[in-house]
Amino acid sequence: MEERNIRVVESMCATGMELDTLYDCFPDMDRNDIKVIYESYHAENVLSNHDTGIRMNCS
């Protein structure tokens, strides 16, 4: 997976998008890759206490 694709998915995670919404937004990307990025992003933010608690569904 390209680095810029990872950053784009991370950016969307930062807006509060849920995993199912990310799947819909990136239909050409492997779902497992998206899930790994999503879980990694949220694990880092929970550990560093940067999670805003804001959730958004832009579908």
Side-chain angles (χ1 to χ4, degrees):
M1 174 178 281
E2 292 182 30
E3 185 69 22
R4 81 181 166 132
N5 289 342
I6 294 170
R7 298 297 160 237
V8 169
V9 174
E10 286 177 340
S11 295
M12 295 301 174
C13 289
T15 67
M17 280 192 178
E18 296 296 330
L19 188 56
D20 289 332
T21 306
L22 291 170
Y23 290 152
D24 293 339
C25 290
F26 302 102
D28 296 335
M29 291 176 69
D30 183 82
R31 284 181 169 233
N32 191 48
D33 290 341
I34 294 172
K35 185 176 180 179
V36 168
I37 296 166
Y38 178 87
E39 291 175 346
S40 174
Y41 176 83
H42 285 285
E44 289 176 17
N45 284 309
V46 168
L47 291 175
S48 63
N49 202 22
H50 288 108
D51 190 11
T52 63
I54 297 172
R55 300 290 177 260
M56 182 183 313
N57 184 341
C58 297
S59 60

